[in-house]
Amino acid sequence: MIEVVELVKEFRKPQPTTGRLAGVRQLWAPRRTVRAVDQVGFAVERGEIVGYLGANGAGKSTTIKMLTGIVVPTSGTVTVNGLVPWANRKKHAYNIGVVFGQKTQLWFDLPLRVSLETIRDLYRIGAADYVSRIDEFDEVLQIKDFMDTPIRSLSLGQRMRGDLAGAMLHRPQVLYLDEPTVGLDVVAKQALRDFIAEQNRVHSTTVMITTHDMDDIEQLCRRIVLIDRGRVVYDGDLSSLKRRYLPFREVVITPGANADTAYIGAKHADRLENADGTISLRFDPERTSAAAVIAQAASTADIADLHVNEPKLEDVVRLIYAEAER
Amino acid sequence: MADLLRDFRILLRVAWLTELEHKANFFISVIGALAFNAGQLLFIGVLLNAFGSIAGWTPAEVMVLFGIRMASHSMYAFFFRRVIDVDLVVHTGEFDRYLLRPTSPFLQLLTRRFNLQQFGDVIVAAAILAVALPKASITWHPLLALWLVIAIGAGGMLEGALQLARGALAFRLQNTQSLTALIDTVFGTYGNFPLQIFGTLGSILFTVVLPLAFVGWIPAAIVTGRTDSLWFPTWLAWLSPAVGVAGMAAAIFFFTRQSRHYSSPGS
Ligand SMILES: Nc1ncnc2c1ncn2[C@@H]1O[C@H](COP(=O)(O)OP(=O)(O)O)[C@@H](O)[C@H]1O
Ligand SMILES: [Mg+2]
């Protein structure tokens, strides 16, 4: 569905000029080049949900802008459903839906209803389809509650739900989301995720999402593409990403009041005494299992409480960034 | 083409609804336009009273020129004024949306607002022409009237084309807005004069380099039969509306080309 080969984007920014005839002098102003996206390549199949992750400034938004046809690449190729986005702009528009967390694609001063009707008309969506899709979207997004409110008066959560409805109204095959959940409350975030997951499941919509929200990733993304300073540093599924970067898991034990903590331990597990009096048994899931560790620990001493620490994507990402820094 | 017209209607509806949201501005803008043009009118009036005629043109002929200039400016203002918003649209990233929709970005630019306030210019231009045309001794012919309408439309396109080409620079440069005011001022000031007063060299410059001649002087010369003032043959003057149409086509092409350099702010 999406094919990206050796994609590069360089921004040439003139040094700012001021004073007399600044606009004209700027034509000759020295320029400095920023390479925002550097030789990026990947392919996405129909129906995939891909998390496109990276630190701030890594080049995520720039990549999305090239995939959507907003920005023309410096070099490399992009095809989405067989079309080059910036060259086949009009046709390509029917294939994609785009949501930017930072700026709305809707008409700011007008009620959501007018924006949706205008999108209906511009994309030549039939009246019956329009009604049924609005009904369908409303079930998860509850947009009918604020159809007559101008976009500028909507809460962020409402605005994002409106934007998502606008982006999906023409039933595009690909949906791009650039930090859609930033600043949203838990309920709005969940509505967004449910909606994305449902569109993907029911209509096989291909989804590419950038986010810093680990719950977004854990709930939605089967596949992760990680970029750092414009380059792809990981492309694969979420669980192998965790395995590769966080090979350890932990059982954290709170000893009982009279337990002799010195004996708490298990085979193939490293013992760490934590400052709060708990004990971590760190193990490699390839060599032993959480169940075995817990059973052995329970047989050595009285245990008040325990929990298993699953590897957190946050930790994974932090590790990868730390590695990239070096 | 039919598709484009349909999109135009759709976008005009949104623009109209947006305008209604701001309707308080409407009367203020119209009054502002009237006041501004009244000032210009007064200026011309004073000139005419002081000199009687300008460079061989009678006051009525100069009035016709001024009326035609105003009329083509009002056509520009009415249909194309939003081309001056390119900077804003580029720097706020509103242009993202234009590129994502399945219709012409240029059309979306033109219809980002409905230019209700530009009615003020249209009214003033119509009033001036209504007074001036009967005063000047014109031998009317249906084809001449038709030609005048076309020339006024083409003059509007030419002014729009210059502003659009200026706007297209915003894709690559900052600080180009000052040129907008410059074009406005040059058209609004020098455009009102029979250009022969600037001498042959001046009138050539204002035809070829800064094409003011097409928004007033040439059409007025044709309508009033004063083509003797032009520095080129009359038959060429009859073809002059082609310049406005071609200019607009070239400007749209240039705009589309430059839009490839759009770098979309923000992330
Ligand atoms: N319009 C632009 N002009 C100049 N530089 C830009 C522009 N957009 C992004 N950049 C630069 O490109 C790099 C990548 O930015 P971006 O794609 O927004 O990253 P991310 O979305 O991953 O935070 C950054 O160094 C940023 O400063
Ligand atoms: Mg970003």
Side-chain angles (χ1 to χ4, degrees):
Chain A
M1 181 60 72
I2 306 173
E3 304 263 354
V4 179
V5 182
E6 294 182 7
L7 191 62
V8 173
K9 180 67 195 181
E10 289 180 343
F11 289 108
R12 265 184 213 90
K13 300 204 76 171
Q15 310 282 18
T17 49
T18 48
R20 277 176 74 85
L21 296 176
V24 181
R25 280 198 291 123
Q26 202 182 26
L27 286 167
W28 296 280
R31 281 156 197 254
R32 87 197 130 80
T33 304
V34 180
R35 188 170 269 227
V37 172
D38 192 4
Q39 303 283 337
V40 163
F42 54 82
V44 181
E45 297 297 322
R46 174 152 193 252
E48 275 194 280
I49 302 185
V50 176
Y52 195 59
L53 312 185
N56 278 326
K60 303 181 295 292
S61 296
T62 306
T63 309
I64 301 277
K65 283 170 184 173
M66 287 191 278
L67 298 188
T68 53
I70 292 172
V71 164
V72 180
T74 306
S75 66
T77 57
V78 177
T79 51
V80 179
N81 205 12
L83 299 173
V84 176
W86 61 271
N88 306 87
R89 217 182 45 73
K90 237 177 241 186
K91 257 191 183 165
H92 176 244
Y94 288 95
N95 290 335
I96 62 159
V98 186
V99 174
F100 291 115
Q102 323 280 354
K103 50 189 167 191
T104 182
Q105 306 294 308
L106 305 174
W107 283 267
F108 204 60
D109 291 324
L110 298 173
L112 175 62
R113 181 188 306 284
V114 175
S115 282
L116 294 176
E117 285 171 359
T118 306
I119 291 169
R120 173 195 67 193
D121 296 345
L122 284 175
Y123 287 87
R124 315 287 194 256
I125 299 166
D129 280 343
Y130 175 74
V131 171
S132 73
R133 285 175 202 175
I134 294 292
D135 286 345
E136 176 195 324
F137 294 173
D138 182 56
E139 276 175 30
V140 182
L141 298 175
Q142 260 104 50
I143 47 174
K144 285 186 182 168
D145 299 347
F146 47 86
M147 277 295 237
D148 294 304
T149 313
I151 304 299
R152 69 174 130 77
S153 313
L154 294 178
S155 74
L156 185 61
Q158 291 173 327
R159 205 213 85 201
M160 288 311 299
R161 286 185 272 159
D163 252 287
L164 201 51
M168 291 305 288
L169 197 56
H170 58 290
R171 196 137 281 170
Q173 302 186 45
V174 185
L175 173 63
Y176 298 101
L177 303 135
D178 194 352
E179 306 205 10
T181 52
V182 162
L184 298 192
D185 61 75
V186 184
V187 179
K189 275 182 182 172
Q190 199 53 49
L192 244 63
R193 286 178 204 132
D194 291 346
F195 181 76
I196 296 162
E198 185 182 281
Q199 291 294 310
N200 169 261
R201 186 169 44 78
V202 179
H203 305 293
S204 296
T205 311
T206 310
V207 179
M208 213 167 147
I209 178 170
T210 82
T211 179
H212 287 277
D213 187 305
M214 298 307 150
D215 293 333
D216 289 352
I217 301 166
E218 305 244 13
Q219 287 186 31
L220 289 172
C221 308
R222 276 149 260 173
R223 176 178 165 198
I224 304 290
V225 175
L226 232 150
I227 61 163
D228 180 59
R229 276 167 284 181
R231 288 176 168 271
V232 175
V233 290
Y234 177 84
D235 182 349
D237 62 26
L238 183 55
S239 48
S240 13
L241 180 71
K242 287 179 181 171
R243 234 180 296 126
R244 179 164 138 190
Y245 284 93
L246 279 188
F248 298 110
R249 293 168 78 190
E250 284 183 341
V251 175
V252 182
I253 293 166
T254 311
N258 306 317
D260 190 346
T261 54
Y263 290 104
I264 296 177
K267 235 200 306 186
H268 303 303
D270 292 334
R271 207 188 115 97
L272 299 167
E273 294 190 7
N274 299 322
D276 58 0
T278 60
I279 292 179
S280 292
L281 297 177
R282 185 176 279 182
F283 64 97
D284 179 347
E286 309 263 282
R287 301 184 62 196
T288 182
S289 68
V293 171
I294 292 167
Q296 288 173 46
S299 71
T300 51
D302 176 28
I303 287 173
D305 193 12
L306 65 79
H307 64 269
V308 181
N309 264 353
E310 290 293 333
K312 286 247 165 41
L313 189 63
E314 273 160 283
D315 299 328
V316 176
V317 171
R318 204 178 305 128
L319 268 174
I320 291 166
Y321 293 160
E323 195 170 83
E325 289 291 304
R326 265 183 263 129
Chain B
M1 197 62 204
D3 258 359
L4 215 55
L5 277 176
R6 190 166 161 191
D7 290 341
F8 185 56
R9 222 191 49 228
I10 296 163
L11 292 168
L12 221 48
R13 170 174 174 258
V14 210
W16 174 252
L17 291 173
T18 306
E19 198 59 38
L20 292 184
E21 289 284 311
H22 300 264
K23 56 180 168 278
N25 299 343
F26 173 50
F27 292 104
I28 299 168
S29 311
V30 169
I31 291 165
L34 290 173
F36 177 74
N37 290 316
Q40 282 198 315
L41 207 56
L42 208 65
F43 170 68
I44 287 276
V46 168
L47 271 180
L48 288 177
N49 278 330
F51 299 101
S53 66
I54 295 179
W57 283 30
T58 65
E61 286 163 351
V62 178
M63 276 280 272
V64 169
L65 192 166
F66 184 60
I68 291 174
R69 217 280 307 168
M70 278 302 304
S72 60
H73 177 73
S74 70
M75 288 297 110
Y76 153 69
F78 197 71
F79 289 105
F80 298 112
R81 186 58 175 173
R82 299 275 63 87
V83 302
I84 67 169
D85 296 345
V86 181
D87 302 73
L88 176 86
V89 163
V90 165
H91 295 143
T92 59
E94 186 179 314
F95 200 67
D96 284 9
R97 183 171 98 194
Y98 301 177
L99 291 170
L100 292 174
R101 301 253 151 85
T103 187
S104 153
F106 176 59
L107 195 65
Q108 293 177 73
L109 173 71
L110 292 190
T111 54
R112 68 182 294 274
R113 292 288 294 274
F114 191 92
N115 311 311
L116 210 49
Q117 62 266 49
Q118 317 294 2
F119 271 129
D121 285 342
V122 177
I123 293 165
V124 172
I128 297 168
L129 282 178
V131 173
L133 286 176
K135 275 195 177 175
S137 42
I138 297 169
T139 5
W140 283 106
H141 183 278
L143 280 180
L144 180 64
L146 180 67
W147 184 89
L148 178 62
V149 171
I150 293 172
I152 287 173
M157 283 192 189
L158 188 67
E159 194 173 347
L162 281 183
Q163 291 286 19
L164 179 61
R166 199 287 312 162
L169 297 177
F171 287 114
R172 309 180 74 167
L173 303 171
Q174 276 108 40
N175 316 325
T176 58
Q177 290 97 321
S178 52
L179 286 174
T180 304
L182 184 70
I183 297 173
D184 270 349
T185 311
V186 169
F187 272 77
T189 318
Y190 300 102
N192 297 330
F193 292 100
L195 296 174
Q196 69 271 19
I197 67 165
F198 299 111
T200 312
L201 187 65
S203 56
I204 291 175
L205 273 172
F206 280 137
T207 311
V208 182
V209 182
L210 251 179
L212 288 180
F214 299 91
V215 301
W217 188 47
I218 299 173
I222 293 265
V223 171
T224 60
R226 296 304 307 268
T227 47
D228 55 305
S229 308
L230 302 176
W231 58 271
F232 50 88
T234 305
W235 66 268
L236 258 181
W238 282 99
L239 295 177
S240 64
V243 173
V245 178
M248 181 48 83
I252 294 174
F253 180 76
F254 180 63
F255 174 81
T256 309
R257 268 309 174 100
Q258 290 302 303
S259 73
R260 291 185 193 168
H261 297 282
Y262 176 57
S263 67
S264 177
S267 51

